[in-house]
Amino acid sequence: MTSVVSVHRRRKIVTNDFLDEQKEWRGPFCFIQAADPQLGLMKTWREGDCDGGGDEWTDEVQLTQQAVEAVNKLSPRPKFMVLCGDLVHAMPSTQYREGQERDLKVALRGTDPSIPLVFVSGNHDLGNTPTPETVAQFCNAWGDDYFSFWVGGVLCLVLNSQLFFDASACPDLRDAQEAWLEGQLQRASQGPGVIPKHVLVFQHIPLYLKTPDEEDDYFNLQTATRQSLLGRFKRAGVKAVFSGHYHRNAGGLHNGLDMVVSSAIGCQLGEDTHGVRVVVVTADQVIHRYHSLEQLSGRGMDEDLRNLLQA
């Protein structure tokens, strides 16, 4: 069994120790995108008390364990599994936070050591208005709130989308991420160094749910921020942005950039089922499909996706 410390180290392996060989394209591969295990939400949603921290999270633990077991069975092995935010429901420094984080880490211990875990911060992980203290708490528990890593010739950028949404209590952190992101995007498109085969972004809050010109909503980024990021991502050649937050599947392809909104491992707010997204990366495409946990456990990934990995 992998210890909690090893779970953290696996993230560090992705971010720090995948050296120059990971900048080289070596053929198709797959990874898993998951979102919103959000331990504690399911009971509070049923009871209509979503502002509460959630005093029961057995269902979410079992679903997370089911996801881990299904992912472990996949062949070929995914290169990594990314959890796109809202790891737990309890806000920072509230009653049930410590227990929810503890039990999520225990559930993730079963992940095969060959599949690194990547953690993305969500609004429940940081607070709707994050502070330097809440960001530090997340980093101490799960790792950096923004970072980059290479895998198989692909550059992956993990962002703290809460700093885009409301950084009024931590403007210096917002500015630091902005400066870092601009440098990453510039190097991705112009160098110096290796130009990636693809650039992928992972964040919690979607840029948009259906179309780039939709109205502002709790579940998307504000229009000015959205349009700015879309322009910057497009100029840098970003292929896809993967997110969660909506607890439903949504998104769409616009002007060559795929906004992927994945439903939750945990509580469903629409008609989707508990699941994760299988993503296949080829030399020319990034193909993805949401799989229910039941389907992935019983049959694995869809055959056409598996065939792409054998090309």
Side-chain angles (χ1 to χ4, degrees):
M1 177 180 294
T2 305
S3 69
V4 173
V5 171
S6 294
V7 170
H8 292 169
R9 285 178 180 162
R10 285 208 300 249
R11 229 294 303 275
K12 296 298 184 184
I13 288 171
V14 176
T15 59
N16 294 330
D17 298 335
F18 274 16
L19 301 177
D20 288 345
E21 65 269 18
Q22 285 300 325
K23 297 182 179 181
E24 180 181 344
W25 176 256
R26 296 186 177 182
F29 65 87
C30 70
F31 67 86
I32 299 298
Q33 186 232 352
D36 300 277
Q38 203 159 345
L39 273 62
L41 176 59
M42 291 178 71
K43 180 182 178 183
T44 63
W45 181 259
R46 288 193 301 266
E47 295 180 348
D49 181 27
C50 291
D51 291 334
D55 61 356
E56 172 58 53
W57 50 88
T58 302
D59 289 343
E60 290 94 338
V61 167
Q62 292 175 344
L63 289 163
T64 302
Q65 291 171 332
Q66 184 180 356
V68 165
E69 291 168 1
V71 170
N72 284 347
K73 293 179 183 177
L74 293 176
S75 180
R77 288 273 195 220
K79 289 288 189 180
F80 62 92
M81 179 164 68
V82 54
L83 280 75
C84 281
D86 277 5
L87 307 178
V88 299
H89 183 62
M91 290 288 188
S93 301
T94 58
Q95 181 177 4
Y96 302 111
R97 174 69 169 231
E98 182 178 353
Q100 290 174 5
E101 286 192 324
R102 178 198 62 227
D103 289 352
L104 178 59
K105 289 176 181 178
V106 170
L108 293 171
R109 284 178 181 172
T111 308
D112 190 280
S114 68
I115 305 173
L117 295 173
V118 179
F119 301 110
V120 181
S121 59
N123 59 302
H124 278 264
D125 304 311
L126 301 171
N128 288 318
T129 302
T131 68
E133 291 75 23
T134 64
V135 173
Q137 288 170 16
F138 174 86
C139 293
N140 287 335
W142 301 102
D144 295 339
D145 57 319
Y146 61 90
F147 57 95
S148 64
F149 64 95
W150 287 81
V151 57
V154 174
L155 175 63
C156 299
L157 304 177
V158 174
L159 304 181
N160 179 344
S161 58
Q162 213 58 34
L163 296 180
F164 299 136
F165 193 82
D166 183 1
S168 58
C170 53
D172 290 347
L173 297 183
R174 175 200 60 207
D175 293 346
Q177 178 177 249
E178 284 288 344
W180 171 87
L181 176 59
E182 189 59 32
Q184 293 286 317
L185 294 176
Q186 182 173 342
R187 284 192 293 273
S189 59
Q190 302 174 22
V194 177
I195 302 299
K197 179 68 71 173
H198 303 295
V199 182
L200 306 179
V201 170
F202 302 98
Q203 59 188 57
H204 181 61
I205 303 176
L207 299 174
Y208 56 84
L209 300 176
K210 295 182 180 179
T211 63
D213 59 354
E214 67 194 22
E215 294 183 0
D216 294 353
D217 186 90
Y218 170 79
F219 288 110
N220 61 21
L221 289 179
Q222 299 95 328
T223 300
T225 300
R226 179 193 319 155
Q227 296 300 333
S228 173
L229 287 170
L230 281 169
R232 294 164 70 188
F233 289 167
K234 181 64 178 174
R235 289 191 295 273
V238 172
K239 191 81 169 182
V241 178
F242 292 88
S243 69
H245 190 48
Y246 193 44
H247 292 254
R248 287 153 283 200
N249 288 308
L253 180 67
H254 293 274
N255 295 325
L257 192 151
D258 197 1
M259 181 64 249
V260 184
V261 185
S262 292
S263 195
I265 288 179
C267 187
Q268 302 297 310
L269 304 187
E271 298 182 358
D272 297 296
T273 57
H274 309 285
V276 299
R277 189 170 298 271
V278 177
V279 185
V280 173
V281 181
T282 72
D284 301 317
Q285 296 179 287
V286 177
I287 306 102
H288 52 85
R289 191 170 303 146
Y290 190 80
H291 291 58
S292 71
L293 296 183
E294 181 179 352
Q295 173 191 355
L296 200 66
S297 298
R299 304 197 306 272
M301 74 176 74
D302 289 340
E303 184 176 0
D304 61 325
L305 297 181
R306 192 180 304 111
N307 290 339
L308 289 171
L309 296 170
Q310 298 169 352

